């Protein structure tokens, strides 16, 4: 998650000074682009270690000239322009919240340095470290490289100019001593430290490429005395790349207040890249390289793509998801009172069944409603809905009517049987479900037997719940194992109420499975005697059998179906 790290320059800039003021030894890790910035910012270990409970992370980020240059395929010789460095710096700042220390190389001349200070401070950087070499410097780590040190007075003047230009008290300018790198010895380093401290620098970094920490430990000892002499308290910084067996604890005890791991993420990435590229060449496929690669999903997680996916799903719910009401069939039970009208036009409590459904849907912001009419379609009338004709309604099941509205399914949809009355909260809860396919399932049959002979769409839940306690769950991890009206009611855990939600992905899976079944099957199919008559629940069962996860939202009552004449009186009461 990267936007969570969003922080303003003024909130970040002072953090390094605060950590130092608290007396903390600041642990810093290098970053050279946005992704490595996220790693440095977010890396954390927590847990038990040798009887201790530990929680460790990095306190700050080092924007290194070596790794910034190398990641651009260039040597570390100040050939990468400051603008390009600033681009990397901004890239890292945009996705992190920890304080940043920038490797300012030599800082250029005093004029250049003033602009550098101004731009870094404005960006929210906490400190810049400049080294006392002559521009264009050479990286310090390679043995035998020619190193030219700057005149200490000229360098001190650069520090004074930088300090005079910064706008806040929070920004720090740290002077990096290259005497040990250039073979000039401890005395030169100490003399320079004194000059720079007197010029007003905020801290000193002593650099070394020795395998042993001895020379920097010796320097630290003398530095302590120097601070005493000058009556100052300025933090000492080290970069233990070559003398890497000394621990943070030992460095801290020697007086170092900032410890920088200056290049490790880039080196780690480079080593892995070489290994993986050779493994691909060797095997001429990627299978063998996979253990050396992070799963794509982990990268998605790190850069915030999974959050985007979730937000998109929320948007999808906010936007008007289409509702499809299949209402094409003829219902002989009600014909005496319907006088040739479709069942959806049945009057209950002063409104048609369809109008009741429309107002429930509208109250949950669902206004894109398509009714699929068949029998007596010219009598199907309602305000604010699209009426789609399925002329072939006699030859198929309700599923075919649902699929007649296929072009409404592209971004997900809701499906509602046409003879169901619902309380609004059921639709609201369904809209909150994030899974790709969710059916609404009533658990009443766990407490009360289904009426004898009544044909219901039974469900068997994958995770059987302990029964006996009445409860309504709005936790959506419920998964279907079976659905159909031929399931033994004794083994059923729920009843499908005729309302379901499909996300964009769920709708794609639903339509593809339907098309595959229609094209490739003949004769008996799931509970249907013939594939031509297969129903919505048959298709859902087929999807379960094919390994798709079908979720259900568990409810307890709050809805009614109009299947028999006596349901009309019940419905009037319900409404
Ligand atoms: C860097 O990381 O760019 C440094 C430290 O300046 S070093 O490479 O050790 O010089
Ligand atoms: Mg550098």
């Amino acid at each position: 998650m990267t936007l969570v790290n969003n922080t303003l320059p003024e909130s970040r800039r002072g953090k390094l000074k605060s950590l130092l003021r608290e007396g903390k030894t600041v642990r810093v890790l290098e970053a050279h682009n946005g992704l490595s910035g996220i790693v440095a910012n977010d890396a954390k270990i927590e847990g038990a270690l040798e009887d201790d409970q530990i929680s460790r992370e990095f306190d700050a980020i080092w924007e290194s000239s070596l790794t910034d240059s190398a990641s651009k395929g260039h040597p570390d010789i100040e050939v990468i322009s400051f603008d390009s460095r600033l681009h990397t710096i901004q890239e890292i700042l945009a996705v992190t919240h920890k304080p940043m220390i920038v490797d300012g190389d030599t800082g250029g001349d005093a004029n250049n340095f003033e602009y550098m200070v101004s731009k870094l401070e404005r960006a929210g950087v906490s400190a810049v470290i400049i080294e006392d070499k002559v521009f264009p410097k050479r990286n310090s780590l390679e043995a035998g490289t020619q190193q030219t040190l700057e005149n200490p007075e000229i360098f001190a003047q650069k520090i004074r100019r930088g300090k005079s230009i910064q706008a806040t008290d929070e920004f720090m300018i740290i002077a990096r001593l290259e005497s040990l790198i250039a073979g000039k010895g401890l005395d030169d380093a100490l003399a320079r430290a004194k000059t720079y401290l007197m010029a007003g620098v905020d801290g000193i970094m002593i650099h070394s490429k020795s395998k042993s920490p001895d020379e920097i430990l010796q320097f630290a000892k003398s530095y302590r005395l120097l601070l005493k002499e000058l009556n100052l308290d300025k933090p000492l910084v080290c970069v233990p790349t070559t003398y890497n067996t000394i621990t943070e604890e030992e460095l801290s005890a020697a007086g170092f207040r900032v410890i920088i791991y200056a290049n490790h993420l880039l080196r780690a990435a480079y080593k892995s890249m070489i290994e993986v590229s050779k493994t691909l060449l060797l095997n001429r496929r990627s299978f063998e390289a996979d253990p050396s690669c992070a799963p794509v999903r982990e990268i998605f997680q790190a850069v915030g793509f999974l959050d985007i996916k979730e937000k998109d799903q929320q948007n999808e719910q906010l936007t008007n998801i289409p509702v499809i009401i299949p209402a094409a069939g003829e219902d002989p039970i009600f014909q005496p009172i319907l006088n040739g009208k479709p069942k959806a036009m049945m009057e209950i409590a002063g409104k048609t069944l369809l109008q009741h459904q429309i107002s429930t849907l509208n109250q949950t912001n669902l206004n894109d409603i398509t009714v699929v009419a068949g029998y007596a379609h010219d009598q199907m009338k309602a305000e604010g809905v699209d009426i789609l004709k399925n002329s072939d309604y006699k030859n198929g099941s309700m599923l075919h009517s649902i699929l007649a509205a296929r072009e409404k399914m592209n971004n997900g949809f809701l499906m509602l049987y046409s003879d169901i009355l619902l309380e609004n909260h059921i639709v609201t809860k369904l809209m909150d479900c994030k899974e790709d396919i969710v059916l609404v399932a009533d658990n009443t049959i766990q407490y009360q037997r289904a009426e004898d002979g009544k044909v219901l769409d039974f469900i068997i839940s994958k995770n059987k719940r302990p029964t006996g306690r009445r409860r309504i769950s709005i936790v959506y991890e419920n998964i279907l194992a079976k659905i159909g009206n031929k399931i033994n009611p004794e083994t059923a855990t729920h009843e499908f109420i005729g309302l379901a939600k499909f996300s964009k992905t769920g709708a794609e899976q639903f339509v593809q499975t339907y098309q595959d079944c229609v094209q490739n099957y003949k004769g008996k199919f799931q509970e249907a005697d013939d594939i031509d008559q297969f129903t919505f629940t048959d298709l859902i069962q087929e999807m379960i059998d094919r390994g798709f996860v079908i979720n259900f939202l568990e409810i307890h009552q709050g809805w009614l179906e109009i299947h028999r004449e006596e349901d009309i009186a019940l419905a009037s009461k319900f409404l």
Side-chain angles (χ1 to χ4, degrees):
M1 209 182 275
T2 53
L3 281 181
V4 163
N5 288 333
N6 187 20
T7 184
L8 293 172
E10 39 290 6
S11 326
R12 183 196 312 246
R13 197 187 299 116
K15 281 185 183 173
L16 180 64
K17 249 196 177 167
S18 300
L19 288 170
L20 290 165
R21 216 176 282 129
E22 286 163 22
K24 206 170 161 17
T25 300
V26 179
R27 181 191 287 132
V28 190
L29 180 59
E30 164 265 334
H32 49 275
N33 58 17
L35 185 61
S36 58
I38 292 169
V39 174
N41 192 84
D42 296 351
K44 188 171 187 170
I45 54 165
E46 257 173 340
L49 186 72
E50 291 161 6
D51 298 337
D52 274 340
Q53 277 299 321
I54 59 155
S55 172
R56 281 183 205 146
E57 53 191 290
F58 294 93
D59 303 301
I61 298 162
W62 170 242
E63 206 284 327
S64 148
S65 69
L66 164 61
T67 67
D68 191 348
S69 308
S71 68
K72 289 167 181 147
H74 282 58
D76 181 20
I77 54 169
E78 289 188 290
V79 71
I80 297 293
S81 71
F82 179 62
D83 263 4
S84 170
R85 293 284 309 279
L86 195 57
H87 192 275
T88 310
I89 290 163
Q90 297 283 15
E91 187 177 301
I92 300 168
L93 291 174
V95 293
T96 59
H97 63 76
K98 291 192 172 163
M100 179 187 281
I101 305 173
V102 165
D103 175 358
D105 288 324
T106 62
D109 72 2
N111 295 315
N112 286 228
F113 187 51
E114 284 184 355
Y115 281 95
M116 184 185 280
V117 166
S118 161
K119 288 179 185 177
L120 294 179
E121 183 184 32
R122 188 179 299 272
V125 168
S126 300
V128 64
I129 300 187
I130 47 168
E131 58 195 274
D132 57 357
K133 288 197 286 220
V134 171
F135 174 90
K137 68 91 205 256
R138 299 287 181 258
N139 181 272
S140 308
L141 295 177
E142 176 64 20
T145 310
Q146 195 180 340
Q147 302 288 3
T148 317
L149 296 192
E150 182 60 278
N151 175 311
E153 289 308 327
I154 292 178
F155 195 72
Q157 176 60 5
K158 189 155 47 180
I159 290 166
R160 276 189 287 271
R161 293 269 299 271
K163 285 308 291 176
S164 73
I165 215 73
Q166 73 180 65
T168 70
D169 186 36
E170 296 170 335
F171 188 76
M172 299 173 75
I173 297 176
I174 297 172
R176 158 173 167 175
L177 308 173
E178 290 286 300
S179 307
L180 302 180
I181 298 290
K184 301 282 182 202
L186 266 180
D187 288 346
D188 184 70
L190 268 174
R192 285 170 175 268
K194 186 171 181 177
T195 308
Y196 306 156
L197 286 168
M198 287 170 66
V201 85
D202 298 298
I204 293 287
M205 168 180 153
I206 178 71
H207 202 18
S208 159
K209 61 174 188 302
S210 167
K211 281 250 171 225
S212 148
D214 290 351
E215 58 184 21
I216 58 115
L217 291 176
Q218 242 176 316
F219 178 87
K221 229 187 225 169
S222 308
Y223 183 72
R224 216 179 293 181
L225 298 175
L226 176 63
L227 287 183
K228 225 182 228 167
E229 177 196 322
L230 299 176
N231 196 23
L232 287 173
D233 180 17
K234 304 278 173 154
L236 187 57
V237 182
C238 65
V239 178
T241 304
T242 49
Y243 50 95
N244 58 8
T245 53
I246 190 164
T247 64
E248 290 172 5
E249 246 175 335
E250 289 164 332
L251 286 167
S252 179
F256 287 97
R257 307 281 306 284
V258 180
I259 301 169
I260 302 177
Y261 298 98
N263 44 45
H264 298 80
L265 292 186
L266 182 91
R267 285 164 60 201
Y270 182 68
K271 186 172 181 213
S272 274
M273 288 192 284
I274 294 287
E275 185 187 315
V276 166
S277 56
K278 288 186 177 169
T279 306
L280 293 172
L281 287 173
L282 193 66
N283 296 286
R284 287 181 292 175
R285 64 177 194 183
S286 67
F287 177 77
E288 290 74 11
D290 254 14
S292 307
C293 299
V296 174
R297 200 157 197 276
E298 269 184 35
I299 310 279
F300 286 173
Q301 171 83 42
V303 302
F305 182 60
L306 299 187
D307 303 324
I308 296 296
K309 182 183 144 190
E310 197 162 305
K311 284 179 195 167
D312 283 350
Q313 281 171 352
Q314 283 162 8
N315 282 349
E316 187 188 303
Q317 285 159 12
L318 289 176
T319 53
N320 195 6
I321 175 168
V323 184
I324 301 169
I325 302 177
E330 179 183 355
D331 191 329
I333 296 178
F334 292 99
Q335 268 324 307
I337 52 168
L338 282 169
N339 284 329
K341 283 193 221 155
K343 187 173 167 189
M345 292 293 102
M346 180 191 302
E347 287 242 351
I348 302 171
K351 284 204 283 189
T352 66
L353 184 46
L354 180 58
Q355 278 168 332
H356 286 296
Q357 290 193 317
I358 293 168
S359 65
T360 303
L361 295 167
N362 287 169
Q363 280 176 47
T364 320
N365 260 338
L366 295 164
N367 303 306
D368 181 359
I369 302 168
T370 301
V371 179
V372 184
Y375 168 75
H377 62 87
D378 48 348
Q379 306 248 21
M380 185 76 83
K381 291 191 175 85
E383 288 282 307
V385 298
D386 293 329
I387 296 179
L388 197 82
K389 196 170 126 193
N390 172 17
S391 345
D392 201 27
Y393 73 96
K394 278 189 184 149
N395 294 324
S397 73
M398 184 204 291
L399 178 62
H400 302 95
S401 289
I402 299 169
L403 267 297
R406 192 173 319 178
E407 54 184 61
K408 284 284 176 183
M409 297 179 178
N410 295 340
N411 292 310
F413 69 100
L414 237 71
M415 190 284 299
L416 173 63
Y417 286 0
S418 62
D419 54 2
I420 305 295
L421 290 172
L422 301 158
E423 287 174 6
N424 295 348
H425 66 90
I426 296 176
V427 186
T428 311
K429 279 179 197 155
L430 181 61
M431 293 303 287
D432 283 341
C433 296
K434 297 204 167 58
E435 291 77 8
D436 287 324
I437 302 179
V438 187
L439 273 57
V440 180
D442 186 296
N443 66 6
T444 305
I445 54 167
Q446 292 175 22
Y447 315 100
Q448 197 177 309
R449 277 180 56 128
E451 284 170 48
D452 279 344
K454 206 168 170 193
V455 180
L456 304 178
D457 288 335
F458 291 114
I459 282 173
I460 302 179
S461 155
K462 193 166 180 183
N463 315 308
K464 255 199 158 178
R465 295 277 187 76
T467 49
R469 205 160 64 82
R470 180 178 151 157
R471 118 191 80 176
I472 297 174
S473 165
I474 49 165
V475 179
Y476 312 122
E477 75 235 17
N478 301 326
I479 294 171
L480 258 73
K482 281 211 161 300
I483 186 165
N485 52 45
K486 293 191 179 143
I487 289 171
N488 179 355
E490 298 291 321
T491 54
T493 55
H494 297 81
E495 177 191 355
F496 173 49
I497 77 161
L499 174 63
K501 177 169 172 272
F502 295 77
S503 71
K504 183 177 166 51
T505 310
E508 269 167 27
Q509 294 166 347
F510 180 77
V511 173
Q512 273 169 15
T513 312
Y514 171 83
Q515 283 168 339
D516 181 65
C517 293
V518 170
Q519 277 163 21
N520 297 312
Y521 287 81
K522 270 200 165 30
K524 199 168 157 30
F525 184 83
Q526 297 290 355
E527 289 184 348
D529 290 335
D530 192 278
I531 185 83
D532 288 348
Q533 293 296 324
F534 80 131
T535 61
F536 178 78
T537 53
D538 290 327
L539 182 56
I540 294 293
Q541 184 61 53
E542 177 66 16
M543 293 183 76
I544 296 169
D545 295 347
R546 292 182 181 203
F548 291 107
V549 176
I550 313 291
N551 290 81
F552 67 88
L553 165 68
E554 183 180 73
I555 60 159
H556 185 75
Q557 301 178 345
W559 65 287
L560 196 90
E561 63 193 332
I562 314 290
H563 278 186
R564 306 158 307 174
E565 266 200 68
E566 53 266 43
D567 292 334
I568 301 176
L570 274 175
S572 306
K573 232 160 108 191
F574 175 86
L575 291 162

